[in-house]
Amino acid sequence: MPDRNGKIFYTSITSLSHISKESRKATNTFTFVHEEGSQKFIYEYRFGFAIDEIGGKEAPVLCTEEFWYSQYDNENKKWSTKKKLFSYDRKNQKLVIGTAKGTARLNPLAIERLLAFAYVKPTSSILFLTDSDKVLAQLVHDDDVKLLIQIRDALRDFAWDALFIMDNGSIGEVSGHILLINSQINDGRKKLRGRFPIVYREENQRKTSIPTWHYPYVEKVFGQISIVMDVIIPGFRLEASNPETIVERDGTELTLFDVICRRKEHTLQLKYESEGIKRILSVLSSLIFYCNNQFSCVMIDEMDAGVYEHLLGELLVALEDMGRGQLLFTAHNLRPLERLQKKHLVFTTMDPFKRFIRFHGIKETNNLRDIYLREVLLGINDKTPLNTPVKASKLRGALLKAGRKE
């Protein structure tokens, strides 16, 4: 059985869609492979959202939730048939754990309580909702419930210990004078994992302030980042300067410091650095974790934003060679096409039913960047268009037309 000491080393999104105005619903499926000693498991988590009215306002509501699992048979060298461990249907107010017959064995009051949580928090997962923990714990005598709790806890540990996500909104936060440091540090006494919001400029406040017990960890993360930055920009160091400790009225002890960038003998406050440097600093701690932890899963939206093209290419080659975990990123820059292996590249399309494709039949001597541009410009792949062709002549006409319009 998988337990909390197990490691989930692979994650894939098999189907991911967003709610559009036309469809009013979305279905998501996440697949995980879990290896526990000689045992292997596949987990499949599915959930669906639909637009509904809550408190007089429209909001996405969880309408279905399912959890499936399969175990690898080492003796017969094959996977067992997938088994459904959990399912929820909002419309019919039905919740099943294991088989329907198995659910009938459970305390009906416990099922009613879980359904009540779904009613009170309609936008949240029932399975992963912390309010459900005590209820499920009362049913742990059932084998299906016991297995479900073990798997759920393993997934929670994975999300806490190994998953780092830097979405597009983080770019705005970096530009808005908040440096987000994603990191995981464990010194044997305390474990600090997550996103450090390092505010390096506020109105009427010159210094950054954080709880004092965080400060040694921040110094350590800054030191890790500086080791890599010294290769990118010789002599560069990110430092916490001029620390001082204060005690708030409620007894909270804070450490105040300046965030500075040191380039050999020159120093500059971080707020005056370029957006590209800030962007690199904000993702480096996650990339360091990805290169040193085989169970890591790092996702970065618009990784190329503000980053020098040549530097981006060299960084990607290093990450491809040294990465031990998983790295998923989006980019608009075409430099990755020249520096990464084609098996690691996925392209977005204009087909709403086939949003991502891979190129096939590409030889080692082919220039993938040229092939991609030819596909975009000439529209060779009619079945799955990569983009809407834009011609300079039409742009010129539109610009002139817009200028004449009163």
Side-chain angles (χ1 to χ4, degrees), residues 316-329:
L316 292 177
V317 170
L319 292 172
E320 189 176 46
D321 292 340
M322 297 297 298
R324 299 183 63 196
Q326 273 190 300
L327 173 64
L328 291 83
F329 69 91

Side-chain angles (χ1 to χ4, degrees), residues 9 289-297 322-327:
F9 64 91
F289 182 65
Y290 154 72
C291 288
N292 292 275
N293 192 315
Q294 63 177 318
F295 308 117
S296 62
C297 181
M322 297 297 298
R324 299 183 63 196
Q326 273 190 300
L327 173 64

